[in-house]
Amino acid sequence: MTATLPHQALGRTGLLVPSVVLGTSGIGRRLDAAGATALLRAAASAGWRTWDTSNEYGDAEAYIGSALDGLVGPVQVFTKVDPLPGSGDFSGDRVRASVAESRERLGLDRLPLVHFHDPERMLFADAVAPDGPVRALLELREAGVIEHLGVAGGPVGLLRQYVRTGEFEAVVTHNRLTLLDRSAETLLDDCAERGVGVLNAAPFGGGALADDDGPVRHYHYRDVDDAQRDAILRIRDIARAAGVPVGALALRTGDRDPRVAGTIVGVTSAAQLAQVTAWADAEVPDDVWPELDAALPDPAHWAGELGR
């Protein structure tokens, strides 16, 4: 099955991104080289030609470099800088080394988009210090080693701080724009005001929003509470009545928001690739969205959750 994915501009970067971007965290951590290369090439053949990766996603960058070698047609690869594995070193020097490692593994002289990854690992003041990681990234952009600079993380308030510096052109937000949680709204407003492109990641909340039935145990890598379980069961009922898979509704949550350019989805098998492709093409009736909005837990439910 080949995906026909609409594309739109990623803020003011000049980059065009599809509605679904291939996430490679699982590929880099769970597959061997042969399996990863085969899956990445299958994704490209199926029309998935924008890939999201990171320096710390296991062997993902190396696998991507191998898959790109000899591949017909362009593939757009976005990556992220990370601390030295096993350490807390997220210094300016470490960022430069992280970028150099990514370029070598990917086989790319210039990186189209590099995200400062999970900035919650350090204080904002330290990150933007003259000798800190943000300054190093700005210098790499000025030198043309990277073309555009983004920030990818969890806590909405912290991401808003980075957006307000005026230095970042793109944002990846994860688990904060789903069928269950809309706490990224204020971040999306900030990005729209400044022309910052947004990619939405983890639309399935770790899997809870990908299943049409079965037990509901986890959401966003944690045990669900009663409010989350009840909301997920209501969402399943709404999806069943509309004749639409829950996964299709979860995937399209970002699509319906004009502030979001694309959604990052990780797959680790050809079957998952086919499933998400089908979800991306599924017809979703307009009248289902008000029902889903009504099924959301009260926003107060998320107060203080996961460092929001």
Side-chain angles (χ1 to χ4, degrees), residues 17-56:
V17 297
S19 57
V20 183
V21 173
L22 178 68
T24 63
S25 174
I27 289 173
R29 290 167 172 158
R30 300 175 196 166
L31 301 185
D32 61 18
T37 300
L39 182 57
L40 288 165
R41 288 179 174 167
S45 296
W48 294 44
R49 287 184 168 264
T50 295
W51 300 347
D52 172 83
T53 192
S54 173
N55 185 281
E56 72 172 5

Side-chain angles (χ1 to χ4, degrees), residues 94 98 181 187 255 271 276:
R94 170 55 201 163
S98 181
D181 181 358
L187 172 64
D255 282 1
V276 176

Side-chain angles (χ1 to χ4, degrees), residues 24 40 51-55 57-70 75-81 98-114 145-146:
T24 63
L40 288 165
W51 300 347
D52 172 83
T53 192
S54 173
N55 185 281
Y57 287 173
D59 293 314
E61 288 183 325
Y63 292 161
I64 290 170
S66 295
L68 291 176
D69 188 19
V75 169
Q76 187 170 233
V77 181
F78 304 153
T79 194
K80 308 177 187 77
V81 292
S98 181
V99 167
E101 292 162 5
S102 295
R103 293 169 69 200
E104 181 177 1
R105 293 169 186 156
L106 295 169
L108 299 174
D109 291 331
R110 289 165 59 88
L111 301 175
L113 175 60
V114 174
V145 174
I146 63 177

Side-chain angles (χ1 to χ4, degrees), residues 46-264:
W48 294 44
R49 287 184 168 264
T50 295
W51 300 347
D52 172 83
T53 192
S54 173
N55 185 281
E56 72 172 5
Y57 287 173
D59 293 314
E61 288 183 325
Y63 292 161
I64 290 170
S66 295
L68 291 176
D69 188 19
L71 192 66
V72 177
V75 169
Q76 187 170 233
V77 181
F78 304 153
T79 194
K80 308 177 187 77
V81 292
D82 290 285
L84 186 68
S87 82
D89 181 6
F90 218 165
S91 63
D93 285 343
R94 170 55 201 163
V95 161
R96 295 181 187 92
S98 181
V99 167
E101 292 162 5
S102 295
R103 293 169 69 200
E104 181 177 1
R105 293 169 186 156
L106 295 169
L108 299 174
D109 291 331
R110 289 165 59 88
L111 301 175
L113 175 60
V114 174
H115 290 99
F116 180 39
H117 194 197
D118 288 346
E120 54 265 38
R121 291 182 276 199
M122 66 189 307
L123 295 174
F124 177 78
D126 292 338
V128 299
D131 59 348
V134 172
R135 182 69 252 170
L137 285 166
L138 293 174
E139 291 171 357
L140 289 166
R141 184 174 63 183
E142 290 162 7
V145 174
I146 63 177
E147 296 178 24
H148 301 285
L149 178 59
V151 58
V156 169
L158 181 59
L159 292 181
R160 295 180 73 191
Q161 284 187 277
Y162 284 98
V163 168
R164 289 169 180 167
T165 67
E167 301 290 2
F168 292 87
E169 304 162 84
V171 166
V172 175
T173 176
H174 67 80
N175 287 289
R176 272 79 172 179
L177 183 63
T178 73
L179 291 173
L180 213 61
D181 181 358
R182 307 290 168 79
S183 56
E185 289 285 344
T186 53
L187 172 64
L188 299 187
D189 285 341
D190 285 351
C191 290
E193 181 181 334
R194 292 165 173 79
V196 174
V198 177
L199 295 170
N200 185 38
F204 308 124
L209 299 172
D211 298 328
D212 295 314
D213 49 36
V216 180
R217 296 193 177 98
H218 307 289
Y219 177 76
H220 192 168
Y221 325 121
R222 302 174 70 177
D223 292 341
V224 293
D225 58 29
D226 290 343
Q228 293 165 356
R229 181 181 291 104
D230 290 347
I232 291 169
L233 293 175
R234 287 198 300 274
I235 288 166
R236 288 180 177 179
D237 288 342
I238 293 166
R240 193 174 298 113
V244 182
V246 172
L249 297 174
L251 182 64
R252 306 291 273 283
T253 302
D255 282 1
R256 64 188 289 243
D257 194 316
R259 297 169 295 181
V260 177
T263 299
I264 299 171

